[in-house]
Amino acid sequence: RKEVEQDPGPFNVPEGATVAFNCTYSNSASQSFFWYRQDCRKEPKLLMSVYSSGNEDGRFTAQLNRASQYISLLIRDSKLSDSATYLCVVNSDSNYQLIWGAGTKLIIKP
Amino acid sequence: DVKVTQSSRYLVKRTGEKVFLECVQDMDHENMFWYRQDPGLGLRLIYFSYDVKMKEKGDIPEGYSVSREKKERFSLILESASTNQTSMYLCASSRYLTGQNYGYTFGSGTRLTVV
């Protein structure tokens, strides 16, 4: 089993729709969780950290479910500019190292 | 904002050449990392360093070495470039306090082609 698993997609979603994707992780002791966004041929950029209580940043909501060992990302009122690959990231046992999912590709269509 | 600068955006090298990829960060971060990213394979860790002159092998260190003589600079060396090292190389840095990871900041990447 991979340490961090994501559905690779692509998710093809009409503009204005709500889209959600999950990511599962294998290390029950993980403490740090993130979503990164990566545009084509660019570097990954931090989208948001994921806190135990869940957190929201504008149209983006991240949730953590420790019991089932998954994190989720919800995007409301999707924009064309949301088209990107979304990477799920979880800390390793050492905590200063991060383990990266392979990414979920999102395509927003007009 | 933290800035991580990679010396080249694009490089073309010949098989057998020794290749140096440089990475500099300006926020006094302890940790620095080198990844490569290939289509369908995601990010793969080559080497990392958590302090000056310290280095640790990642998942795919074969054919690579690193150097960290100063805190702000972390260099990746391809000892003898081969075509299977054609890839996007990403440098990252992070701050770390005990028990808390603040995520990584990446440089803009170096797209290396070995011919």
Side-chain angles (χ1 to χ4, degrees):
Chain A
R1 180 186 174 190
K2 290 183 182 176
E3 292 183 80
V4 178
E5 291 201 65
Q6 298 182 249
D7 183 337
F11 285 49
N12 289 284
V13 174
E15 190 176 10
T18 295
V19 59
F21 15 88
N22 289 341
C23 156
T24 59
Y25 61 94
S26 61
N27 184 357
S28 59
S30 291
Q31 296 293 324
S32 301
F33 307 90
F34 308 91
W35 283 103
Y36 274 70
R37 171 199 169 118
Q38 186 172 24
D39 293 296
C40 189
R41 301 178 77 83
K42 296 286 185 68
E43 74 274 23
K45 292 185 178 177
L46 180 63
L47 178 66
M48 55 198 307
S49 302
V50 186
Y51 304 122
S52 296
S53 56
N55 48 302
E56 188 174 310
D57 182 2
R59 298 182 293 107
F60 297 83
T61 301
Q63 297 279 356
L64 168 63
N65 185 316
R66 286 192 185 275
S68 301
Q69 294 181 211
Y70 73 85
I71 66 173
S72 63
L73 179 67
L74 178 81
I75 306 174
R76 290 180 299 277
D77 187 24
S78 53
K79 313 289 184 193
L80 295 176
S81 56
D82 294 334
S83 297
T85 295
Y86 291 84
L87 303 171
C88 170
V89 193
V90 177
N91 71 282
S92 69
D93 287 335
S94 69
N95 202 35
Y96 57 70
Q97 268 198 76
L98 297 178
I99 308 298
W100 298 78
T104 296
K105 187 169 185 176
L106 174 65
I107 300 169
I108 306 298
K109 296 183 178 274
Chain B
D1 277 352
V2 177
K3 192 170 179 182
V4 179
T5 304
Q6 293 185 230
S7 52
S8 306
R9 289 297 301 270
Y10 300 94
L11 272 180
V12 180
K13 295 292 182 181
R14 295 194 178 279
T15 301
E17 274 194 81
K18 192 168 186 176
V19 181
F20 293 86
L21 302 182
E22 304 288 344
C23 176
V24 177
Q25 50 97 1
D26 65 359
M27 284 298 288
D28 203 35
H29 281 180
E30 296 81 11
N31 304 324
M32 296 188 76
F33 307 83
W34 273 106
Y35 287 87
R36 65 177 283 177
Q37 188 175 33
D38 302 286
L41 295 178
L43 285 164
R44 292 184 291 167
L45 181 63
I46 304 171
Y47 268 97
F48 65 98
S49 168
Y50 52 88
D51 202 351
V52 177
K53 296 193 186 293
M54 305 300 289
K55 60 185 179 184
E56 295 282 345
K57 292 180 180 179
D59 300 318
I60 51 163
E62 297 77 20
Y64 303 94
S65 63
V66 290
S67 171
R68 194 165 180 202
E69 295 298 317
K70 294 184 178 180
K71 191 173 186 179
E72 67 270 19
R73 186 180 296 269
F74 191 35
S75 303
L76 179 69
I77 303 145
L78 285 66
E79 299 290 343
S80 177
S82 63
T83 54
N84 63 12
Q85 292 178 309
T86 291
S87 186
M88 168 76 125
Y89 289 87
L90 289 158
C91 174
S93 74
S94 75
R95 181 166 60 111
Y96 175 72
L97 297 176
T98 302
Q100 181 66 46
N101 192 308
Y102 293 90
Y104 297 173
T105 300
F106 284 88
S108 54
T110 296
R111 194 164 291 276
L112 173 68
T113 303
V114 183
V115 297

